[in-house]
Amino acid sequence: MKEYKVGIVGATGYGGVELIRLLANHPHFHVYAVYSSSQDGMELAEVYPHLSNIVYTLQDINPKKMAEELDLVFTATPSGVSSKLVPQLIEEGIKVVDLSGDFRLKTEALYEKWYKKPAADGTFLQKSVYGLSEWFADEVESSTFVANPGCYPTATLLGLAPLVSKQMVKSNSIIIDAKSGISGAGRGLSQMVHYAEINENMKIYKVNQHQHIPEIESILEKWDEEIGHVTFSTHLVPMTRGIMSTIYAELSEESSVQELHQLYVDTYQNSPFVRVRKAGEFPSTKEVSASNYCDIGVAFDERTKRVTIVSVIDNLVKGAAGQAIQNANIMMGFEQQAGIGLLPVFP
């Protein structure tokens, strides 16, 4: 069977190095080259000594040369970098899965309002397919350019989709209380993730200003045009990996926990990476650590008529590298589980 040559741009970040870890187990993809604009010529093992048995020299980014050598590129870059690089790669005819946020929103004005950076050319914003694998696989399969979802939106949208897609949620009633491990902030240094600042501490941040708000709302609107706005709060907690999105919403029709649980089971019965817990059970972040699983628990309070959804993922895997490979598998016609069907690491 043909082996496909893959390049990773941004290989020195947490998302990039997680791509390398997962692709080392892939039966069809071979990491042919890794790229960094800031550390060209350095051995990757100098940045990540745990990769000392793998010889990768960081290369400078040259789209024309990449097009001659590669079948697929993952761009695991900070926002604002992919917006300039990815159009060059697309024009060279390379298939791209972009892990940044630069192509998830469909208008330049919306991106610039929330990201506070110049947007990519609107033509390329329209070309990208939003890669929430469980819900848009048909679009991903026929695409050559996928915008990988953000980590918070992945957990949140997978948790809400069964209800919103059936128009079962009251407009403007969704409240999302989301918590993430520190790796979600990336490898860069800042006071916010300083050990003395976050250890034995919890911080709320970007209150009503998080750039994932319009991403979540725009996808919810695909399923229900009347869904309205969401209240979305994000917190950093003192752990390395994991996201827990606890979601509250009012239903627009009568239901019961048994009916809701069955809806989730039926919705995700053919989704290998979404595991719906038994009624009354709720997942924890460690139970999906280092895996591509999203675990979901659902409850209904008959007294308040509110549903509570608990959705957990590993932010670096299902929230980034794992879902990116899942999308690449779909694009190339492979089984979704190829290379990423790893069990969680526990404890």
Side-chain angles (χ1 to χ4, degrees):
M1 186 175 291
K2 179 181 176 181
E3 186 176 73
Y4 291 84
K5 295 179 179 178
V6 170
I8 300 172
V9 179
T12 58
Y14 287 148
V17 77
E18 195 72 349
L19 281 166
I20 290 170
R21 179 180 76 88
L22 295 170
L23 289 169
N25 301 295
H26 204 285
H28 310 298
F29 294 145
H30 165 64
V31 179
Y32 182 81
V34 295
Y35 303 88
S36 172
S37 58
S38 60
Q39 293 165 297
D40 176 30
M42 182 181 292
E43 295 296 322
L44 189 59
E46 295 180 53
V47 183
Y48 289 110
H50 73 285
L51 299 177
S52 59
N53 62 317
I54 304 175
V55 180
Y56 285 128
T57 301
L58 293 163
Q59 300 183 30
D60 194 22
I61 299 166
N62 183 328
K64 289 188 179 295
K65 184 171 183 287
M66 293 164 73
E68 295 171 358
E69 297 176 341
L70 304 173
D71 298 295
L72 174 72
V73 173
F74 294 98
T75 49
T77 64
S79 296
V81 175
S82 284
S83 61
K84 301 178 182 65
L85 171 62
V86 167
Q88 298 177 59
L89 297 173
I90 298 297
E91 289 179 341
E92 292 294 335
I94 308 175
K95 292 184 177 182
V96 175
V97 179
D98 179 53
L99 281 74
S100 82
D102 286 353
F103 297 92
R104 297 173 190 156
L105 305 179
K106 290 302 182 183
T107 68
E108 295 170 66
L110 192 62
Y111 176 89
E112 291 173 357
K113 174 183 176 180
W114 288 90
Y115 280 81
K116 314 300 182 187
K117 295 175 182 177
D121 184 280
T123 302
F124 292 95
L125 295 179
Q126 296 304 315
K127 283 183 178 180
S128 68
V129 168
Y130 189 75
L132 190 66
S133 307
E134 284 72 20
W135 288 87
F136 303 117
D138 290 345
E139 295 176 35
V140 171
E141 187 175 14
S142 60
S143 175
T144 58
F145 175 25
V146 172
N148 213 53
C151 50
Y152 283 125
T154 295
T156 300
L157 291 169
L158 288 175
L160 280 167
L163 295 174
V164 177
S165 65
K166 298 289 187 183
Q167 290 83 50
M168 292 175 64
V169 175
K170 284 187 179 180
S171 177
N172 298 310
S173 75
I174 296 172
I175 299 173
I176 305 152
D177 179 13
K179 299 175 177 65
S180 175
I182 303 302
S183 60
R187 209 180 189 209
L189 301 177
S190 72
Q191 181 176 330
M192 188 172 185
V193 298
H194 192 289
Y195 178 82
E197 297 279 343
I198 195 62
N199 182 48
E200 298 184 6
N201 197 9
M202 184 185 295
K203 294 185 177 183
I204 191 169
Y205 67 104
K206 293 186 178 179
V207 179
N208 299 327
Q209 298 178 13
H210 202 287
Q211 68 271 17
H212 287 165
I213 291 173
E215 181 179 341
I216 292 169
E217 291 181 342
S218 65
I219 301 303
L220 292 177
E221 287 169 4
K222 284 179 176 283
W223 297 318
D224 183 354
E225 293 181 352
E226 304 300 321
I227 197 63
H229 295 302
V230 303
T231 297
F232 178 65
S233 299
T234 54
H235 309 76
L236 283 180
V237 296
M239 62 184 185
T240 301
R241 290 173 178 260
I243 280 178
M244 176 177 283
S245 186
T246 305
I247 307 158
Y248 309 94
E250 294 181 46
L251 299 185
S252 57
E253 58 188 74
E254 289 294 323
S255 190
S256 67
V257 68
Q258 292 80 15
E259 291 173 337
L260 293 173
H261 179 262
Q262 192 60 49
L263 170 64
Y264 275 75
V265 170
D266 292 345
T267 300
Y268 288 121
Q269 61 182 335
N270 296 317
S271 299
F273 290 114
V274 178
R275 306 187 299 190
V276 179
R277 293 300 180 85
K278 295 177 182 178
E281 282 188 8
F282 299 94
S284 66
T285 56
K286 190 173 280 291
E287 291 159 356
V288 296
S289 184
S291 81
N292 199 52
Y293 289 107
C294 173
D295 283 11
I296 298 174
V298 60
F300 181 64
D301 188 339
E302 295 185 358
R303 184 178 58 87
T304 63
K305 306 303 181 186
R306 291 192 187 95
V307 62
T308 300
I309 307 149
V310 180
S311 178
V312 299
I313 64 170
D314 184 309
N315 57 293
L316 295 178
V317 187
K318 186 60 172 169
Q323 185 161 225
I325 296 170
Q326 187 178 356
N327 280 316
N329 285 338
I330 296 169
M331 289 171 71
M332 305 300 281
F334 303 135
E335 292 290 326
Q336 290 191 32
Q337 300 99 312
I340 50 174
L342 302 172
L343 292 174
V345 173
F346 192 95

